[in-house]
Amino acid sequence: MLMTTRPMFDLALEGGFGIGAFNVNNMEITQGIIEACADAESPVILQISKGARQYANIRFLRRIIDACVEEYPSVPIAIHCDHGDTIDLIRTCVDDGYTSVMIDGSHHPYDENVRLTREAVEVAHTHGVVVEAELGMLGGIEEDVVGLDPETYQREIEKYLTDADEAADFRAKTGIDSLAVAIGTSHGACKFVNEPKLAFDRIEAIMTTCPGLPLVMHGSSSVPREFVDLINRYGGDLPGAMGVPEPQIADAVRKYAVCKVNIDTDLRLAMTAKIREVFATNPGEFDPRKYLGPARAAIVDMVRRKLEMLNSAGKAGAVIDHWSRQGQPMPSHYSRVA
Ligand code: G3H
Ligand code: 13P
Ligand code: ZN
């Protein structure tokens, strides 16, 4: 069932679990994610980056997601814009039937981030669409913005973490529904050079100044060693790969207000490892179904593993009940979507 993230976050905050926000770029990735969520009876956020819109053409992606909604009515699904950077893009996403958008003004000066975010909230809320924004800075590559290398980022981390008092001011001035926070994570496969560690003290401080605000963790892939090893074994080259340990993410959703956990890199690793393995073990293979099929199955396994970590398995029914009880209207633009 299509919905906003609001009922998901209400229950996640209360129940000590997190919602997986997985990036979708094509049919096999989307099918793999939704199959795992249906099996586990878990709510899910399907998120689309600007790059994904360009790669797949949003009309195609939307229809793949519509098929998920039709095929799996018992799975709560939110469609989310990942790292939206302009008001034009936010408007387009609202028109395209997204139920949630992120406006990422984190690379602008604070006042400009506030102005941009407030405008995005006005546009989205008018149509019943919820808004995530970002404060603080992550490492790694973020859409078109090339961030800091992992070594510099980790060494100078204090200056990039989200400031708790600024977060409270930002929330009051913008009216956001959730906030992406910088707590030591980075996008991509190389997040840490030394010991991987989330800034839990910073999350606690933000929870004190922003009570009840759902927090979002970007850059939350764990970069499991076995997948990096498989890729390297079958001809890949991924030196220095290191992600966020899964037990730390499990703690972030169980004990703290982290409600949304963004995962893209781990899906890419699972898919790439499997395709490399097929080609390496059967060099004569040229039927795309014979390597994309196993790659899709690898996505199912990876997402299952993440849903366990997030403790969101079995929560689908409660989320649908909560959404229905609240009589939450669908975003008002939805009927306009062709
Ligand atoms: O935050 C970045 C996500 O991994 C999306 O990546 O812009 O390459 O689609 P992308
Ligand atoms: P990863 O690169 O850690 O998967 O993070 C993805 C993300 O934050 C998408 O917004
Ligand atoms: Zn991100």
Side-chain angles (χ1 to χ4, degrees):
M1 179 184 283
L2 193 61
M3 60 181 65
T4 72
T5 54
R6 193 166 288 144
M8 301 181 185
F9 293 169
D10 282 353
L11 297 194
L13 264 182
E14 220 169 74
F17 64 95
I19 313 293
F22 300 101
N23 287 75
V24 296
N25 286 284
N26 70 4
M27 184 184 77
E28 283 78 7
I29 294 172
T30 316
Q31 287 177 328
I33 296 167
I34 203 70
E35 187 183 323
C37 292
D39 285 353
E41 299 180 14
S42 170
V44 68
I45 298 166
L46 299 177
Q47 57 184 13
I48 304 170
S49 69
K50 216 167 64 168
R53 289 179 65 93
Q54 281 156 5
Y55 170 76
N57 178 335
I58 187 57
R59 284 175 169 268
F60 288 81
L61 271 188
R62 263 314 311 265
R63 277 157 182 75
I64 291 168
I65 296 174
D66 284 346
C68 294
V69 174
E70 280 169 34
E71 284 286 319
Y72 300 98
S74 60
V75 180
I77 300 173
I79 309 176
H80 175 77
C81 163
D82 191 29
H83 294 286
D85 56 351
T86 63
I87 297 299
D88 275 352
L89 177 60
I90 298 300
R91 276 188 215 287
T92 307
C93 291
V94 167
D95 284 343
D96 285 338
Y98 291 44
T99 61
S100 171
V101 290
M102 175 193 194
I103 180 76
D104 181 359
S106 61
H107 294 90
H108 293 299
Y110 179 71
D111 287 343
E112 175 58 12
N113 191 0
V114 168
R115 191 202 61 71
L116 187 67
T117 302
R118 195 170 44 215
E119 195 176 342
V121 168
E122 271 164 29
V123 169
H125 279 187
T126 307
H127 298 281
V129 173
V130 294
V131 179
E132 169 188 329
E134 181 170 322
L135 206 51
M137 256 173 73
L138 268 71
I141 298 165
E142 206 162 290
E143 282 286 358
D144 306 330
V145 183
V146 178
L148 293 163
D149 68 275
E151 196 172 345
T152 314
Y153 188 68
Q154 217 176 341
R155 196 177 53 242
E156 301 177 352
I157 189 69
E158 282 298 319
K159 53 178 206 227
Y160 301 111
L161 297 179
T162 305
D163 180 87
D165 292 324
E166 205 167 66
D169 183 67
F170 188 77
R171 178 194 200 181
K173 286 180 173 155
T174 59
I176 49 166
D177 301 282
S178 62
L179 182 66
V181 288
I183 48 167
T185 64
S186 301
H187 290 100
C190 304
K191 303 181 191 298
F192 300 96
V193 276
N194 304 314
E195 192 199 351
K197 218 163 112 224
L198 294 180
F200 285 112
D201 52 343
R202 198 54 76 109
I203 309 180
E204 271 177 14
I206 298 166
M207 286 170 68
T208 307
T209 58
C210 302
L213 182 64
L215 304 181
V216 179
M217 264 177 69
H218 283 247
S220 301
S221 282
S222 298
V223 192
R225 193 69 238 166
E226 61 269 32
F227 290 88
V228 176
D229 288 348
L230 266 182
I231 289 173
N232 290 342
R233 177 161 140 216
Y234 290 122
D237 183 21
L238 282 181
M242 197 191 297
V244 187
E246 286 173 338
Q248 290 192 33
I249 299 177
D251 272 355
V253 300
R254 193 157 48 88
K255 301 186 192 155
Y256 301 92
V258 171
C259 293
K260 174 172 179 272
V261 173
N262 283 18
I263 296 168
D264 185 3
T265 296
D266 282 351
L267 304 185
R268 296 178 180 194
L269 293 175
M271 196 164 201
T272 303
K274 184 49 76 178
I275 292 173
R276 278 193 177 278
E277 185 187 299
V278 172
F279 285 146
T281 52
N282 187 0
E285 187 53 72
F286 66 97
D287 179 345
R289 294 169 299 186
K290 299 282 169 50
Y291 51 87
L292 291 178
R296 179 173 57 192
I299 296 275
V300 176
D301 289 343
M302 179 61 84
V303 172
R304 266 198 198 119
R305 168 182 179 149
K306 299 297 168 184
L307 301 177
E308 244 167 69
M309 170 188 80
L310 297 168
N311 189 26
S312 68
K315 306 292 197 302
V319 169
I320 288 181
D321 285 352
H322 188 52
W323 170 257
S324 313
R325 250 197 326 272
Q326 287 183 335
Q328 301 255 19
M330 267 313 288
S332 63
H333 59 278
Y334 192 68
S335 54
R336 292 211 308 273
V337 178

